[in-house]
């Protein structure tokens, strides 16, 4: 059942939130909610009509959940901090996890989105020196931004872990490990 739309434009927005991605053979829910770009994917297990329809219904359910969050924000019932948590509970079928490109919050230590240049900046301090690396999205498409963010997060998390290891073992030579981590992390598929 479709959410009740107060205006014709709102109903059209709901319809535009879901699309079939021919290249990936899956349904995609994409929208902006409280300045967060949200993307979720729903892949059928096979290409039978029934399975494609089942995946579409999951996408509709996801869209409806996001729509409810948007309504709460519009009515002032959800604070920005709540929105992040609410959106994190809306899952997709590709990984069983959330997929989104969101405005980077201060808690994303060591990671910053530079909208003017379209890059993610990773900056982590290891032994009183900052290790900096930029990760550029291949295009302005949401999935490319997500891919770049995922790579940047992997690198950031690896550098933070290496920093912890360096504290525990002062004799550890971190320079080659940093270079290896950069090369390995940025070449992994998402």
């Amino acid at each position: 059942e479709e959410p009740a739309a107060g205006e014709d434009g709102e109903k059209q927005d709901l319809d535009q939130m879901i699309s079939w991605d021919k290249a990936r053979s899956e349904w995609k829910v994409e929208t902006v909610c409280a300045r967060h770009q949200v993307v979720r994917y729903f892949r059928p297990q096979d290409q039978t009509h029934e399975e494609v329809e089942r995946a579409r219904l999951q996408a509709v359910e996801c869209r409806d959940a996001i729509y409810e969050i948007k309504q709460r924000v519009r009515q002032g019932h959800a604070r920005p901090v709540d929105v992040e948590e609410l959106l994190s509970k809306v899952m997709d079928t590709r990984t069983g996890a959330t997929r989104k490109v969101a405005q980077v919050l201060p808690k994303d230590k060591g990671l910053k989105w530079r909208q003017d240049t379209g890059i993610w900046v990773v900056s982590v301090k290891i032994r009183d020196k900052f290790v900096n690396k930029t990760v550029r999205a291949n295009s302005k498409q949401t999935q490319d931004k997500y891919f770049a963010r995922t790579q940047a997060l992997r690198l950031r998390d690896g550098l933070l872990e290496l920093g912890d290891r360096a504290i525990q073992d002062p004799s550890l030579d971190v320079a080659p490990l940093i270079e290896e981590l950069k090369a390995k992390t940025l070449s992994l598929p998402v």
Side-chain angles (χ1 to χ4, degrees):
E1 184 175 308
E2 301 282 325
E7 303 171 9
D8 290 340
E10 199 171 299
K11 171 75 169 96
Q12 187 177 13
D13 288 346
L14 288 173
D15 293 339
Q16 291 175 354
M17 286 172 66
I18 300 176
S19 62
W20 177 254
D21 187 333
K22 289 181 186 178
R24 296 176 176 266
S25 297
E26 61 190 357
W27 292 100
K28 178 170 130 179
V29 176
E30 182 174 20
T31 189
V32 175
C33 182
R35 297 185 307 196
H36 294 270
Q37 182 72 26
V38 183
V39 181
R40 304 289 190 273
Y41 294 95
F42 297 89
R43 180 174 291 162
Q45 293 176 354
D46 56 49
Q47 293 303 306
T48 62
H49 176 74
E50 294 80 16
E51 188 58 26
V52 171
E53 180 62 12
R54 184 193 64 75
R56 187 189 71 80
L57 291 173
Q58 285 182 321
V60 168
E61 193 174 304
C62 171
R63 179 213 50 203
D64 293 350
I66 294 170
Y67 176 81
E68 287 179 26
I69 294 168
K70 288 174 90 167
Q71 287 299 99
R72 289 180 66 185
V73 170
R74 283 184 190 137
Q75 295 167 0
H77 298 302
R79 298 175 313 191
V81 175
D82 297 333
V83 171
E84 183 76 17
E85 182 181 340
L86 292 169
L87 288 173
S88 73
K89 294 176 182 176
V90 181
M91 304 295 191
D92 70 8
T93 58
R94 184 184 289 171
T95 62
T98 59
R99 294 179 158 267
K100 64 184 187 287
V101 174
Q103 176 184 4
V104 178
L105 301 174
K107 69 178 182 179
D108 282 340
K109 178 182 172 185
L111 184 65
K112 184 175 11 174
W113 170 246
R114 298 274 317 259
Q115 190 162 356
D116 58 330
T117 56
I119 60 172
W120 291 98
V121 179
V122 177
S123 183
V124 175
K125 193 172 186 180
I126 299 178
R127 290 197 179 142
D128 297 325
K129 292 185 180 179
F130 279 95
V131 177
N132 299 304
K133 179 70 180 166
T134 59
V135 181
R136 182 177 303 278
N138 291 337
S139 73
K140 292 183 179 184
Q141 291 184 344
T142 302
Q143 75 184 45
D144 288 338
K145 290 179 188 176
Y146 172 77
F147 180 81
R149 182 175 191 260
T150 301
Q151 287 183 312
L153 282 169
R154 284 180 180 167
L155 178 59
R156 190 261 333 249
D157 293 347
L159 289 170
L160 289 172
E161 188 176 307
L162 184 58
D164 290 342
R165 284 179 52 203
I167 291 169
Q168 294 170 2
D169 182 2
S171 65
L172 183 67
D173 185 8
V174 294
L177 295 174
I178 291 170
E179 294 308 314
E180 179 184 332
L181 183 62
K182 285 180 182 178
K184 186 173 85 172
T185 305
L186 299 178
S187 66
L188 289 174
V190 176

